[in-house]
Amino acid sequence: MSEVYVIGHKSPDTDTVCSAIVYAGLKGYTAARPGELNEETAFVLDYFKVPAPALMENAAGKKLVLVDHNEPAQVVDGGDQAEIVEVVDHHKMNFVCNTPIYIHVEPVGSTATVIAKHYMDQVKGNPTHAGLLLAAVLSDTVIFKSPTTTDEDKAIAAELAKIAGITDIQTFGIDIKKAKASIKGKPIADVIHVDFKDFDFGGKKVGIGQTELVDINEVYDRAGEVTAYLNELKSGKGYEMVVFIGTDIIKEGSELYFAGDAAMMEKAFGKKPEGASMWLPGVMSRKKQVAPPLEKAFTS
Amino acid sequence: MSEVYVIGHKSPDTDTVCSAIVYAGLKGYTAARPGELNEETAFVLDYFKVPAPALMENAAGKKLVLVDHNEPAQVVDGGDQAEIVEVVDHHKMNFVCNTPIYIHVEPVGSTATVIAKHYMDQVKGNPTHAGLLLAAVLSDTVIFKSPTTTDEDKAIAAELAKIAGITDIQTFGIDIKKAKASIKGKPIADVIHVDFKDFDFGGKKVGIGQTELVDINEVYDRAGEVTAYLNELKSGKGYEMVVFIGTDIIKEGSELYFAGDAAMMEKAFGKKPEGASMWLPGVMSRKKQVAPPLEKAFTS
């Protein structure tokens, strides 16, 4: 059998990378990543002394297990010429294949939760795997503050923490988040692209980036730069709309910057933007609170 | 919480109906069916003294768990106005949803295998559920003769048979298959529609019906009728192609009748049709051996 690669989505985050590493380990596959690690993920891998998966820039001709994503737009380049053999995910589904494959998706806070739940017996014997999965749960649920969080995420995180020997989950979560929580001194394009996903909403290409911060003022200070870059991206790359979500994990809300039709933003979020952005209290999750209303606005 | 209905695909078969009944029982949901039972399924429910699920002709506004299918074309009428809350299946995926849901698909011989595998502990205490699942495995794998059969199907069927108290799996399988294995005296439209599925192959509507027989001569005797009806269906219902698979479960092969472009059939199966049909030795499975090459022919 040719080699099977477990790979996460473009703009890899901690859940997608840690899930790929652990799932590959559990199944005897090889982990890969479609792009550079962000600072948070680099911190986590360093913490557990685990090497980064090898970079795979093009997957044409390869056998792939997709973790933490399934939509074609988020798959590594060349994915349309790869053979997808499994999908393990926690996102909405937009997936077509020509032959039955193993697909496991659950509406929980992280892909790590799905993996931990079904392989807990094996994870019990591997504190490093448990630690990586715990970091991924904490990262993707924003330390259980995201509305995507379920009771299962919390229960499984507690179990993983015991195995990994991590006594204070909260502190560990904040340490992880701090690792990428400042945008000071970073080029704005890097800030917007570090966690950026393309969507197809009723045939329209929409891009949505997100950054979590411990202080939203870091974004307010650079609002002009953000808006200029979003407009550049929109006109240069054929987007109908580009959105950037600056999430304050302490205040628990997000400032949404956008380039595109302001009326569509109002239709989606029921609030008139002030200029090129709007503050949405309580909004933490692109997946649950930003992408679905935008998709609805574009398709209804 | 409003009622959740577990429902199988149109033209319900034994796997889709039995899986719906058992999964609904396991999860506290309500089983439903989108159409009339075929003779085989009626035989199985009668055998285990289990009532048929209630008929649901339109699912608009309902909460649905889809078992044994996921493609929009196979979903009960009104399914596009229903809320799909789970999918449990063993077919290729062509599914879109707007929010993450529980999806579990495995490339095994029946949906019953997927359910039995993950709920074996509960099934152990319910011989009727075990019997229904066993019947579904045997039906969908054509008593393990279909190339969709996996070692897991066989192992799980053996375990189910023990629980259900069925000592001779082969004989039980043949009894099930015999229940709908004759087309004598049946209107040809009924024969073709008893297990008929619509597909979207690259934007073209293609319908594929299948009947399993213990003697293919029953179909040969009515070839003219079959061809006439397929052509009527094609022109009347906007199909690009309609195919009818007459499968001889003893000879282990199928005669494929079609209305549509003969060149496309040749492209798909690498064999020139003789008139309006062709014999394909070893071909037993619509899912694995007929739909994929046809889709490839239409889309490449």
Side-chain angles (χ1 to χ4, degrees), chain A residues 4-299:
Chain A
V4 175
Y5 294 91
V6 186
I7 194 162
H9 54 73
K10 285 181 175 176
S11 302
D13 61 14
T14 300
D15 188 26
T16 219
V17 172
C18 292
S19 290
I21 293 171
V22 175
Y23 197 70
L26 287 165
K27 306 273 282 191
Y29 300 152
T30 304
R33 64 186 160 92
E36 293 309 318
L37 298 184
N38 68 33
E39 289 160 302
E40 182 192 297
T41 310
F43 168 85
V44 168
L45 297 190
D46 186 56
Y47 188 96
F48 291 107
K49 309 275 175 267
V50 171
L55 182 65
M56 180 186 281
E57 288 178 326
N58 194 299
K62 301 276 201 295
K63 284 191 179 181
L64 302 182
V65 174
L66 305 184
V67 288
D68 198 37
H69 70 304
N70 68 80
E71 303 205 36
Q74 294 164 9
V75 176
V76 57
D77 289 340
D80 53 337
Q81 295 151 59
E83 185 190 350
I84 313 296
V85 297
E86 293 185 35
V87 176
V88 181
D89 195 8
H90 70 127
H91 292 90
K92 72 193 182 74
M93 206 75 192
N94 182 4
F95 185 76
V96 172
C97 57
N98 294 327
T99 183
I101 63 169
Y102 180 91
I103 298 179
H104 193 158
V105 181
E106 295 201 28
V108 290
S110 73
T111 296
T113 310
V114 180
I115 294 171
K117 182 177 170 183
H118 290 273
Y119 293 92
M120 191 56 93
D121 281 349
Q122 283 151 269
V123 171
K124 270 179 186 149
N126 192 324
T128 303
H129 276 185
L132 293 172
L133 292 174
L134 173 63
V137 177
L138 293 172
S139 168
D140 243 36
T141 62
V142 195
I143 321 169
F144 310 133
K145 284 181 177 173
S146 166
T148 57
T149 309
T150 66
D151 289 341
E152 242 176 349
D153 297 307
K154 292 178 190 172
I156 282 173
E159 204 168 342
L160 291 170
K162 263 187 213 161
I163 301 165
I166 286 168
T167 47
D168 187 342
I169 293 181
Q170 281 291 327
T171 304
F172 181 56
I174 290 167
D175 286 346
I176 290 170
K177 281 296 164 195
K178 270 188 192 159
K180 74 158 188 183
S182 174
I183 65 166
K184 275 183 190 153
K186 289 179 196 164
I188 207 71
D190 292 358
V191 170
I192 290 171
H193 281 292
V194 75
D195 179 11
F196 191 90
K197 288 185 182 173
D198 283 345
F199 295 89
D200 179 333
F201 291 160
K204 310 281 189 187
K205 187 180 167 193
V206 176
I208 311 179
Q210 183 170 24
T211 287
E212 289 151 3
L213 298 146
V214 289
D215 181 5
I216 189 72
N217 285 306
E218 289 195 17
V219 172
Y220 290 160
D221 291 345
R222 302 178 68 182
E225 263 184 275
V226 169
T227 302
Y229 183 74
L230 293 180
N231 279 295
E232 185 189 319
L233 205 56
K234 174 176 182 288
S235 55
K237 301 275 187 180
Y239 287 102
E240 182 74 14
M241 178 173 279
V242 187
V243 176
F244 173 62
I245 312 167
T247 299
D248 190 315
I249 63 172
I250 308 299
K251 285 189 185 150
E252 301 190 17
S254 296
E255 188 79 26
L256 262 65
Y257 294 84
F258 65 98
D261 183 3
M264 195 60 86
M265 291 295 283
E266 190 179 346
K267 187 178 169 193
F269 301 105
K271 182 172 177 177
K272 223 181 178 67
E274 294 165 21
S277 77
M278 60 168 96
W279 172 255
L280 296 178
V283 166
M284 310 279 286
S285 164
R286 170 174 51 202
K287 184 171 80 173
K288 204 144 180 169
Q289 297 168 296
V290 177
L294 260 181
E295 176 163 26
K296 206 173 164 192
F298 272 100
T299 55

Side-chain angles (χ1 to χ4, degrees), chain B residues 4 28 60 73 77 82 94 113 147 159 185 200 211 230 234 242 270 290:
Chain B
V4 175
D77 288 342
N94 181 4
T113 309
E159 204 168 342
D200 179 333
T211 286
L230 293 181
K234 174 175 181 291
V242 187
V290 178

Side-chain angles (χ1 to χ4, degrees), chain B residues 183-194 222 225-226 229:
Chain B
I183 64 168
K184 275 185 190 153
K186 291 180 195 164
I188 207 70
D190 293 357
V191 170
I192 289 171
H193 281 291
V194 77
R222 300 176 69 183
E225 262 185 276
V226 169
Y229 183 75

Side-chain angles (χ1 to χ4, degrees), chain B residues 122-191:
Chain B
Q122 283 150 270
V123 172
K124 270 178 187 152
N126 193 323
T128 303
H129 277 185
L132 291 172
L133 292 174
L134 172 65
V137 177
L138 293 172
S139 168
D140 244 36
T141 63
V142 194
I143 321 167
F144 310 133
K145 284 181 179 174
S146 166
T148 58
T149 309
T150 66
D151 288 342
E152 241 173 350
D153 297 308
K154 293 179 190 172
I156 281 173
E159 204 168 342
L160 291 169
K162 264 186 212 160
I163 302 165
I166 286 168
T167 45
D168 186 342
I169 293 180
Q170 281 291 328
T171 303
F172 180 56
I174 290 165
D175 285 347
I176 290 170
K177 283 296 163 193
K178 269 188 192 159
K180 75 160 186 180
S182 176
I183 64 168
K184 275 185 190 153
K186 291 180 195 164
I188 207 70
D190 293 357
V191 170

